[in-house]
Amino acid sequence: MISKNMENMLNEQINAELFSANLYLSICSYFQDQDLDGFANYFRVQSKEELFHASKQFDYIHAVGGKVTMKAIEAPETEFKSIIHTFEVTLTHEKKVTKSINNLVKLALSENDFATHNFLQWFIAEQVEEEASITNILKKLEMIGGNSSALYLLNTELGQRTFTEPKTNLK
Ligand code: FEO
C-alpha cells in the first residue's frame, strides 16, 4: 500500500507523461507539415513511449492498492520556430520530468517506501537515456547548420526509430 501523498504524486506523474505524449505529437505534426517524415517518426515514437510510461505508472498504482485519478491535461505548445527549437523544447521538458521523477524517489526514501523506490529505478535509467538521446541529436543539428544534404541524412536516420513495448511484470 502506498501513502496518500505518494498516490497523489504518482497521479501527477501520469498527468505529466500524458502531457509529454501530447507535446511530442504536437512536434510530430510540425515535422509532418514539412514532409520531414524521419523527424516526425522520431517524435511519434517518443509520444508512444510516453503513453507507455503513463500506463506503467497506472498499473503500478493499481498493483499497490492505490487509486488512479485522471485529470485534465494542459495544452502543449503548437508553434515551433525551427528544428533546433523543437529539440530544445524537448530537452527542457525532459529535464523537468527528470526532476519530478527525482522528487518521487526522494519521497519514497523519506517514507521508507522501498517498493516504489524500486519501481522508480526504471524511470531514473529511462530519463538518463532520453536526455542523452536528445542532447546527441541537438549536437548533430548544430553540426549540420544549413547543410540540406546532412539534414536529409539525419531525417533518414531518425526514420529508423521504432517503438517496442518493453516487458512489464505488473500485468
Ligand atoms: Fe516519460 Fe520522456 O519521460
Side-chain angles (χ1 to χ4, degrees):
M1 192 75 191
I2 48 173
S3 71
K4 207 69 201 160
N5 201 7
M6 179 60 81
E7 181 185 283
N8 289 340
M9 278 187 69
L10 283 170
N11 272 296
E12 288 297 326
Q13 191 61 38
I14 290 179
N15 191 274
E17 304 289 356
L18 295 175
F19 170 85
S20 305
N22 285 350
L23 173 64
Y24 298 143
L25 264 189
S26 181
I27 298 176
C28 172
S29 170
Y30 166 82
F31 285 117
Q32 247 173 252
D33 280 346
Q34 300 176 66
D35 291 327
L36 282 166
D37 53 342
F39 283 92
N41 174 67
Y42 179 89
F43 280 98
R44 190 178 291 267
V45 169
Q46 192 58 41
S47 178
K48 286 180 186 168
E49 284 202 357
E50 300 302 344
L51 291 178
F52 174 73
H53 297 168
S55 158
K56 200 170 162 70
Q57 291 152 8
F58 179 100
D59 288 341
Y60 178 74
I61 293 176
H62 283 287
V64 290
K67 178 173 164 43
V68 167
T69 309
M70 303 306 289
K71 292 182 184 154
I73 302 159
E74 193 189 324
E77 284 180 65
T78 53
E79 303 295 330
F80 304 97
K81 289 180 280 199
S82 63
I83 296 176
I84 281 208
H85 182 223
T86 64
F87 283 90
E88 287 167 348
V89 166
T90 302
L91 186 58
T92 302
H93 179 65
E94 285 305 327
K95 284 185 173 170
K96 210 170 130 188
V97 174
T98 299
K99 256 188 203 160
S100 63
I101 297 285
N102 288 346
N103 285 338
L104 279 163
V105 172
K106 282 183 204 161
L107 179 65
L109 286 173
S110 75
E111 293 185 346
N112 287 339
D113 179 351
F114 301 116
T116 304
H117 181 267
N118 179 57
F119 169 72
L120 291 168
Q121 296 314 300
W122 186 91
F123 289 92
I124 293 280
E126 180 73 359
Q127 286 308 119
V128 170
E129 195 231 288
E130 289 201 352
E131 285 194 28
S133 161
I134 299 153
T135 303
N136 178 269
I137 297 169
L138 261 174
K139 281 186 186 153
K140 285 181 180 167
L141 284 168
E142 279 159 14
M143 268 189 275
I144 285 170
N147 183 326
S148 54
S149 304
L151 188 65
Y152 176 82
L153 286 177
L154 182 58
N155 185 57
T156 305
E157 182 188 322
L158 298 182
Q160 308 304 311
R161 188 181 188 197
T162 55
F163 175 69
T164 312
E165 188 160 321
K167 288 218 181 313
T168 164
N169 53 4
L170 290 174
K171 283 179 197 165

